[in-house]
């Protein structure tokens, strides 16, 4: 997910991956390592109905040997926020990664070790012998062993007010378990987001893979942001995706709306549960 400063120019939040991709900047900005695909997506989104749900994109800047994307600091002005990252969609791999794994497999020992660390029985006998798995195989395994494949999203991490980070959500599969993890967040922002997605030309014409919803709230306000577009691919001319039907190889569907529907259902249950607890106390 994205990194955001907890206090400007000080503490950094890392709920999941991409170490070294960010730098602190002044003036309520953060710098993310340049990706041509993500820069193009952000430029398009600045003129799309989804604009209110995306960090402000300020263009590019060069620091030393690296080029960075300049983005709005989503935590600017918040005091001791609670933050949650939800990876959206029924899959986190691109179809091109599947084709590459089938035609030119590149075995990754680091991903094999990550898999074995979680579940020694997960790799096949051949993968154990090779001590390596393809990137697609690892991503597909993570999707099928989490709520990604069943609910269309998974929780990557939550940071609490005291700065502690919880990342061990791999075993969360059911809506009840998800609901328990969402008790801190509100639904109103998501209802507005759903309406924006329905009217977004960008959303209709892009395959949204590996993107996250970032939930942020403190004692004064709550916000929901769409982040991470480094694997979001434009579709061929005239082709559109529905985002709400199952993926099969070749249809380019990502299941984004399946995940969003699951989150809305879970939040409704969370709100009802919280209200019931208040009435009973």
């Amino acid at each position: 997910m994205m990194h955001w400063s907890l206090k400007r120019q000080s503490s950094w939040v890392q709920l999941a991956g991409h170490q070294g991709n960010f730098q602190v900047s002044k003036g309520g900005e953060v710098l993310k390592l340049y990706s041509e695909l993500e820069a193009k997506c952000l430029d398009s989104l600045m003129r799309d109905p989804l604009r209110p749900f995306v960090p402000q994109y300020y263009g590019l800047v060069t620091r030393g040997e690296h080029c960075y994307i300049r983005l709005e600091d989503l935590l600017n002005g918040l005091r001791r926020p609670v933050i949650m990252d939800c990876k959206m969609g029924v899959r986190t791999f691109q179809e091109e990664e599947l084709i590459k794994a089938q035609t030119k497999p590149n075995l990754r020992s680091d991903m094999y070790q990550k898999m074995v660390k979680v579940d020694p029985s997960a790799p096949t006998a051949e993968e154990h012998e090779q001590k390596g798995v393809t990137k697609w195989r690892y991503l597909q395994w993570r999707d099928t062993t989490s709520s990604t494949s069943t609910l269309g999203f998974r929780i990557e991490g939550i940071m609490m007010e005291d700065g502690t980070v919880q990342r061990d959500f791999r075993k969360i599969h059911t809506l009840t378990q998800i609901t328990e993890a969402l008790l801190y967040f509100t639904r109103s922002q998501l209802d507005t987001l759903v309406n924006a997605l329905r009217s977004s030309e960008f959303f209709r014409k892009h395959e949204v893979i590996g993107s996250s919803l970032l939930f942020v709230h403190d004692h004064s306000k709550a916000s929901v942001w769409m982040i991470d577009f480094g694997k979001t691919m434009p579709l061929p001319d005239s082709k559109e995706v529905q985002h709400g039907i199952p993926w099969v190889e070749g249809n380019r569907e990502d299941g984004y709306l399946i995940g969003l529907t699951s989150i809305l259902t879970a939040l409704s249950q969370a709100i009802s549960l919280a209200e019931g607890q208040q009435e009973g106390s």
Side-chain angles (χ1 to χ4, degrees):
M1 64 160 281
M2 302 289 282
H3 298 93
W4 303 108
S5 54
L6 176 58
K7 295 180 180 178
R8 290 178 64 183
Q9 312 241 8
S10 57
S11 301
W12 283 83
V13 177
Q14 183 186 22
L15 295 189
H18 307 312
Q19 183 77 302
N21 278 9
F22 290 78
Q23 286 190 9
V24 182
S25 182
K26 295 182 179 180
E29 298 179 12
V30 292
L31 304 181
K32 184 177 183 182
L33 198 61
Y34 174 72
S35 157
E36 180 181 3
L37 184 59
E38 183 156 25
K40 287 182 177 179
C41 287
L42 288 166
D43 185 62
S44 297
L45 284 164
M46 292 301 98
R47 303 181 298 275
D48 191 85
L50 291 175
R51 166 65 194 87
F53 298 95
V54 179
Q56 178 67 45
Y57 171 53
Y58 301 116
L60 307 176
V61 64
T62 300
R63 293 283 178 88
E65 299 179 353
H66 299 289
C67 182
Y68 291 89
I69 294 170
R70 297 169 55 214
L71 293 169
E72 174 187 4
D73 181 356
L74 299 181
L75 298 192
N76 188 34
L78 298 181
R79 298 180 66 248
R80 302 182 67 199
V82 176
I83 307 166
M84 179 174 68
D85 176 289
C86 289
K87 188 72 71 178
M88 300 300 293
V90 295
R91 59 186 169 97
T92 58
F93 55 88
Q94 297 168 311
E95 292 200 354
E96 287 76 6
E97 291 172 317
L98 171 57
I99 295 171
K100 184 177 179 180
Q102 294 171 337
T103 57
K104 297 181 180 179
N106 177 34
L107 298 181
R108 297 276 299 270
S109 60
D110 57 332
M111 292 183 173
Y112 167 79
Q113 293 297 334
K114 289 180 180 179
M115 184 183 291
V116 170
K117 187 176 181 180
V118 175
D119 182 3
S121 66
T124 64
E126 183 180 3
E127 289 168 343
H128 275 305
E129 183 178 353
Q130 296 171 331
K131 295 190 182 302
V133 297
T134 64
K135 181 180 179 181
W136 168 80
R137 166 76 166 109
Y138 175 75
L139 294 175
Q140 184 262 352
W141 168 75
R142 283 204 64 189
D143 292 347
T144 56
T145 56
S146 69
S147 60
T148 288
S149 60
T150 55
L151 298 177
F153 80 103
R154 69 171 178 254
I155 298 176
E156 289 284 83
I158 296 178
M159 192 194 78
M160 306 306 296
E161 290 181 348
D162 60 2
T164 58
V165 176
Q166 303 174 32
R167 294 189 183 90
D168 189 18
F169 295 99
R170 289 190 180 93
K171 295 181 180 179
I172 287 183
H173 300 275
T174 69
L175 204 55
T176 299
Q177 292 171 317
I178 293 289
T179 299
E180 293 173 356
L182 295 178
L183 281 173
Y184 296 99
F185 301 98
T186 66
R187 175 175 175 167
S188 58
Q189 286 279 324
L190 285 173
D191 286 335
T192 308
L193 171 59
V194 170
N195 293 330
L197 288 170
R198 288 172 178 164
S199 60
S200 169
E201 182 179 4
F202 177 92
F203 191 59
R204 290 196 304 273
K205 296 185 177 181
H206 281 76
E207 175 188 9
V208 185
I209 301 297
S211 181
S212 291
L213 282 183
L214 189 71
F215 295 74
V216 181
H217 82 87
D218 65 1
H219 294 292
S220 60
K221 68 175 183 178
S223 301
V224 179
W225 302 91
M226 295 178 68
I227 60 173
D228 283 353
F229 302 97
K231 296 174 72 173
T232 295
M233 298 286 291
L235 299 170
D237 292 341
S238 75
K239 186 174 179 61
E240 296 184 358
V241 291
Q242 299 181 49
H243 301 284
I245 62 176
W247 171 74
V248 294
E249 186 176 349
N251 73 355
R252 306 297 288 265
E253 291 293 339
D254 52 38
Y256 195 101
L257 291 178
I258 295 175
L260 192 54
T261 300
S262 295
I263 290 176
L264 286 167
T265 301
L267 282 173
S268 295
Q269 294 180 6
I271 292 169
S272 297
L273 178 61
E275 290 175 346
Q277 290 174 342
Q278 290 178 350
E279 292 175 358
S281 61

